[in-house]
Amino acid sequence: MNLVRCSKGHFYDGDRYQSCPHCGAGAGADQPTMAMNDGGKEEPGVTIAMAGSGSGQDPETHLGTGDRPTVKKSPRPEENFGTAEAIDLVQRQGTIPDDEGKTISYYSQNITAPVMGEPVTGWLVCTKGKYFGQSFPLKSGRNFIGRGRSMDVALEGEPSVSRDRHAVVIYEPKERMFIAQPGDSRELFYVNDKVVLDNVTLKAYDQLSLGKVNLMLVPCCGKDFAWEDLEKK
C-alpha cells in the first residue's frame, strides 16, 4: 500500500488513486501530497507525488534536493479509512485471520497421534462392474458415491451410476455403525436387493447395488475396534 496524504489532510492509497478520492474528482489536482516522518508529522519540502499529475514517477525517488527518504506511517485504519479499506489493511497486517481452513474431522479432534490423513473406517469393495476387485476407503461421516471425480467413492466411467451423490454411506463414530442413505439423485439404489428409501443400518459384507455396480461393505471400525481405542491404551 502506498499511503499518501493530500493537502487537506486526507489519507488514501496512492497505488489505487491518482488523486484524493475524498476531495472529489479534480479537486486539489495541482497540490502535492505529503509523506509522514517517523514522528507522525508532515516532512516539509519532500514531495512524494503530484496528485493527478500522471507522471509515473516512483514516489520513493521523487524527492527534493538534499532531502532523505521518509518512513511513511500507516494511521489507525478505523480513523482514516472506510470500513472495507480498514478491514483489508488489518487483514494484511495479520491481526484478523482469514477463515479459509477445512472443517476439522471427528478423528482430527479426538485423536492426538499425528496422522497423514483421515483414518480409514472401512472399505467398499467392487464385486460387480468396471472396478471389479478394487476397494474404496471410507472415512468418518458421510461418504458420497457417484461417478464424478469429486465423490468420495468415484466410479468414473460407469454410466449407470449418477454423477453426483447417487448414494451415501455414513460411518457414525459415536455408535460405531455404518448407515446407507439415499443421495440427491433420482436414481434408486439397493442394499441386499432391497430399495433404500430411508436410513438403513449396514453390517459387514452387505451388498450395495447402484446401476450395474455392486459394492460390498468391509468394515474396519465397529464394536470391536475404533481408532480412539488406541488412544486409551
Side-chain angles (χ1 to χ4, degrees), residues 168-182:
V168 184
V169 172
I170 301 171
Y171 175 70
E172 201 289 291
K174 292 187 177 180
E175 295 295 329
R176 300 188 181 188
M177 61 189 299
F178 288 89
I179 301 168
Q181 188 180 80

Side-chain angles (χ1 to χ4, degrees), residues 70-143:
T70 60
V71 178
K72 290 178 283 187
K73 295 293 185 179
S74 174
R76 295 179 62 186
E78 66 271 19
E79 294 178 352
N80 296 283
F81 292 89
T83 302
E85 289 89 346
I87 292 175
D88 178 66
L89 175 62
V90 176
Q91 282 184 333
R92 282 187 286 170
Q93 290 177 341
T95 56
I96 299 179
D98 292 328
D99 183 17
E100 296 182 357
K102 288 186 176 181
T103 302
I104 300 175
S105 68
Y106 174 84
Y107 282 120
S108 296
Q109 299 177 67
N110 291 279
I111 293 181
T112 58
V115 292
M116 295 298 293
E118 181 73 10
V120 65
T121 61
W123 299 267
L124 290 178
V125 179
C126 183
T127 57
K128 179 183 176 182
K130 176 181 177 180
Y131 292 91
F132 180 84
Q134 297 190 39
S135 63
F136 301 87
L138 300 174
K139 64 181 184 302
S140 179
R142 288 181 171 85
N143 298 269

Side-chain angles (χ1 to χ4, degrees), residues 4 48 68 84 90 172 179 187 217:
V4 294
I48 297 302
R68 62 178 179 81
V90 176
E172 201 289 291
I179 301 168
E187 301 298 329
L217 173 65

Side-chain angles (χ1 to χ4, degrees), residues 22-44:
H22 304 287
C23 295
D30 59 346
Q31 296 297 321
T33 55
M34 307 300 293
M36 302 295 292
N37 63 19
D38 291 340
K41 298 181 180 179
E42 292 180 359
E43 182 75 15

Side-chain angles (χ1 to χ4, degrees), residues 7-59:
S7 60
K8 294 184 179 181
H10 300 128
F11 291 94
Y12 64 96
D13 187 351
D15 292 334
R16 296 178 60 185
Y17 304 98
Q18 291 185 345
S19 62
C20 178
H22 304 287
C23 295
D30 59 346
Q31 296 297 321
T33 55
M34 307 300 293
M36 302 295 292
N37 63 19
D38 291 340
K41 298 181 180 179
E42 292 180 359
E43 182 75 15
V46 181
T47 301
I48 297 302
M50 293 300 293
S53 64
S55 63
Q57 289 180 294
D58 186 354

Side-chain angles (χ1 to χ4, degrees), residues 139-162:
K139 64 181 184 302
S140 179
R142 288 181 171 85
N143 298 269
F144 298 109
I145 307 172
R147 74 171 189 271
R149 291 186 178 182
S150 62
M151 296 294 97
D152 300 293
V153 178
L155 302 170
E156 298 181 55
E158 285 285 0
S160 63
V161 176
S162 296

